[in-house]
Amino acid sequence: MKKLLKSVLVSAAMLTVFAGCSSGGGSASSENGGQQKEEDGIKVYSGFFAVPGEEVPDSSRLYQALAKESGAKVKVTWLTGQTAKERIGVMISGGDYPDLVDASDGRSAMIDAGAYIPLEDYILETDDYPNLRALYSDVDWEKIKSANDGHVYTIPQFSSTKGEDMDPNYGGEAFWIQKRVLEWADWPVLTTVEEYFDLIGAYLEANPETDGQKNIGFETLSDDWRYFALENPPQFLAGYPNDGAAIVDPDTLEAKVYDLIPEAEEYFQILSEQYDKGVIDPETFTLKYDQYIAKLSSGRVLGMIDQGWNFNTARDSLIAQEKYDLTYVPWGLVLDSGVTPQYREVNTLNTNGGVGITTSAKDVEGILSFLDYLVSEEGTILHNWGELGVDYEIDDSGKFYRTEEQRATWKDQDYYKANRTPYSYLPNFKGMLPDGINAVNPSQQPEEYLATLEDYDKEVLAAYGHEKWTDFVAAQDPLTPWFPIYTERSNWTAKDEAGIASQNMQEVKMQWLPKVISGGAENFAENWKAYTSDYEKRINYKAYEEALTTEVKRRVENDKEIRERLGAE
């Protein structure tokens, strides 16, 4: 019966007209309406990820190597010039989709349109794709199904960790500060927002310029969807983890917006004072993302609040310029030193996100076979470490390593861009390889991490008694069954009261928070009152809180029921 269902689904998908979304390059062709192939027989699938990204050239060595070993490749396109919901809306209107889609904020619309093929019978009811199945435990797969009407529409890409999380770098949210500022102050330990801004202000006064250009004390990006680090700090400052949509009382399981809590008012008042002092960049609220990255890359920005992954390009630019003292250290700050921060997220299951196979796909099983290879031990090594003898070596104990020449080669950004793959948003896992000896990624292999660490960075870590950058930021504890609750918002539509409230909430905060900060410290009380009054008038936040509370309680009960049913701890 399961095989019959698969056959029906594939047949239905093949009946869908697919024009314009699949691109295979000049040498690709399709026969009799079948799957597109290149002249060497490599199957060519199309993929769209609704996030900004950089195109990878067809000539990329590892892109081609993965195609040769797996017999397939995915031609990936990224989001440009539109929001995720806008681009997905266009796709739905046309009824044509790439083979693989991560719809980001447009995921619920894709599901409502019937655009994703359910994958549970392929992955969970057969032994055809063992590596995909092994990405998650039986409990996790049941949670994914439970959150999606019994189906697996999408495969979470970033929720699987095998063994220990080996990443020495911090990619989450924090208050970041340049290493030279810490060195200037003789390596202080920062706990509060007040200490942070006092240090930046003092350094800015003593060191007004870098390379003849005026230094900038602090940035807080507010460009489009990247405005999260402008609006969400109150949750962290109050000692909560990054649930993103609300703070959740662990005893009552009640969800509450963090926009109106006392920590929010206190934090934004501090920002208004720092804006008055000239510490905050007067252009910070009008900067586009590329302008923000350009400022960080100049080395003039002393500090900012952001997610680490959001400014990787700037960090890489500074490293390429060998300006290591102008790169940043993360701090999980609070307002009251008695509060325990929880900035660093423990890897958790995202049941409402991931990449899915669309109804336009002609070869569902072929796509799944490719994804299964990509998360196999062989595919993971090729994807992350590269080719043996070219990108890495193996010692007598089975440990992977790179030579000095190989490290230098991969440090070159032009070489990296010309030899990487476009598969960062396809399923993968973190941690350790199945051999139990090697890390998934070279940068996370302890010996490789230390070998590539600059002397200056070793000095910074030693000054604080740390071994890696993640040691600067305390992890969330405990990990709760509902975390992260922000994923529930992707299930809401413009017809739901909670969905309408969520959209209005974004509009109100994007309109008012820059005004509250830049309106002058002497006007803060008046501006804050106007903001909160408009917030309460325009946003049905009680419906928003009620919807999240209902989902929190559902997840708690669901976790309990699944574990009892499966006999899992």
Side-chain angles (χ1 to χ4, degrees), residues 51-52 104-105 170-176 218-237 241-246 258-259 267-268 271 284-285 287 289 292-293 296 304-312 343 345 425 486 489 505-507 509-510 513-514 517 531 544:
V51 294
S104 187
D105 291 345
Y170 182 65
E173 189 155 337
F175 286 85
W176 301 80
F218 185 76
E219 297 282 7
T220 177
L221 183 65
S222 60
D223 182 25
D224 197 41
W225 63 272
R226 298 180 193 267
Y227 91 122
F228 48 79
L230 169 66
E231 63 86 22
N232 73 16
Q235 65 179 340
F236 295 109
L237 299 173
N242 190 22
D243 262 310
Y258 47 72
D259 306 313
Y267 173 65
F268 290 112
L271 291 192
T284 197
F285 301 122
L287 291 177
Y289 177 66
Y292 168 76
I293 291 299
L296 266 58
M304 67 282 185
I305 183 167
D306 204 349
Q307 296 264 346
W309 55 264
N310 198 38
F311 65 92
N312 276 340
Y343 281 71
E345 297 179 37
Y425 269 73
Y486 70 77
R489 291 186 303 192
M505 189 178 296
Q506 177 176 328
E507 293 172 358
K509 287 193 282 191
M510 290 185 75
L513 291 180
I517 295 168
Y531 160 55
Y544 177 94

Side-chain angles (χ1 to χ4, degrees), residues 1-10 121-122 125-129 365:
M1 182 66 185
K2 301 298 183 182
K3 289 288 187 180
L4 176 60
L5 176 58
K6 288 171 63 177
S7 177
V8 170
L9 286 170
V10 173
D121 289 308
Y122 293 92
E125 300 299 332
T126 76
D127 298 321
D128 296 343
Y129 314 105
E365 292 171 317

Side-chain angles (χ1 to χ4, degrees), residues 163-207:
E164 182 183 356
D165 187 347
M166 302 295 290
D167 196 349
N169 297 304
Y170 182 65
E173 189 155 337
F175 286 85
W176 301 80
I177 193 167
Q178 282 185 331
K179 294 165 186 171
R180 64 168 171 173
V181 179
L182 297 171
E183 181 182 18
W184 176 80
D186 196 23
W187 311 114
V189 173
L190 301 177
T191 303
T192 67
V193 174
E194 181 180 10
E195 293 169 348
Y196 175 83
F197 279 115
D198 283 349
L199 176 55
I200 287 178
Y203 184 90
L204 193 61
E205 183 177 358
N207 304 272

Side-chain angles (χ1 to χ4, degrees), residues 71-246:
K73 65 167 61 171
V74 179
K75 300 281 289 183
V76 173
T77 56
W78 304 84
L79 186 67
T80 56
Q82 294 174 297
T83 67
K85 288 183 178 180
E86 288 170 345
R87 183 70 186 96
I88 294 301
V90 171
M91 286 186 183
I92 292 172
S93 296
D96 291 338
Y97 310 96
D99 299 321
L100 287 154
V101 171
D102 180 334
S104 187
D105 291 345
R107 180 178 180 271
S108 61
M110 287 281 287
I111 292 173
D112 290 344
Y116 282 130
I117 294 175
L119 300 176
E120 63 274 5
D121 289 308
Y122 293 92
I123 298 173
L124 304 181
E125 300 299 332
T126 76
D127 298 321
D128 296 343
Y129 314 105
N131 299 305
L132 283 175
R133 170 76 180 261
L135 279 178
Y136 300 106
S137 67
D138 290 344
V139 170
D140 285 341
W141 284 116
E142 285 299 311
K143 286 184 177 181
I144 292 170
K145 289 169 59 180
S146 177
N148 293 277
D149 300 321
H151 296 298
V152 177
Y153 292 114
T154 56
I155 304 170
Q157 312 101 311
F158 310 118
S159 298
S160 178
T161 299
K162 304 297 184 182
E164 182 183 356
D165 187 347
M166 302 295 290
D167 196 349
N169 297 304
Y170 182 65
E173 189 155 337
F175 286 85
W176 301 80
I177 193 167
Q178 282 185 331
K179 294 165 186 171
R180 64 168 171 173
V181 179
L182 297 171
E183 181 182 18
W184 176 80
D186 196 23
W187 311 114
V189 173
L190 301 177
T191 303
T192 67
V193 174
E194 181 180 10
E195 293 169 348
Y196 175 83
F197 279 115
D198 283 349
L199 176 55
I200 287 178
Y203 184 90
L204 193 61
E205 183 177 358
N207 304 272
E209 293 184 348
T210 294
D211 298 331
Q213 291 185 299
K214 185 178 178 181
N215 281 332
I216 297 168
F218 185 76
E219 297 282 7
T220 177
L221 183 65
S222 60
D223 182 25
D224 197 41
W225 63 272
R226 298 180 193 267
Y227 91 122
F228 48 79
L230 169 66
E231 63 86 22
N232 73 16
Q235 65 179 340
F236 295 109
L237 299 173
Y240 291 88
N242 190 22
D243 262 310

Side-chain angles (χ1 to χ4, degrees), residues 165 343-349 430 475-479 483-484:
D165 187 347
Y343 281 71
R344 179 155 56 92
E345 297 179 37
V346 177
N347 197 36
T348 52
L349 180 67
K430 297 180 285 189
Q476 65 184 109
D477 184 29
L479 176 61
F483 185 86

Side-chain angles (χ1 to χ4, degrees), residues 224 227 230-232 244-247 255-260 486 489 492 497-514 531 534-548:
D224 197 41
Y227 91 122
L230 169 66
E231 63 86 22
N232 73 16
I247 54 177
K256 180 180 179 181
V257 295
Y258 47 72
D259 306 313
L260 305 177
Y486 70 77
R489 291 186 303 192
W492 298 342
E497 282 296 325
I500 296 169
S502 181
Q503 180 61 38
N504 291 342
M505 189 178 296
Q506 177 176 328
E507 293 172 358
V508 169
K509 287 193 282 191
M510 290 185 75
Q511 173 189 344
W512 274 100
L513 291 180
Y531 160 55
D534 199 32
Y535 187 102
E536 294 181 346
K537 178 181 178 181
R538 292 169 56 186
I539 305 167
N540 185 2
Y541 66 91
K542 291 299 182 182
Y544 177 94
E545 291 177 333
E546 289 171 5
L548 290 177

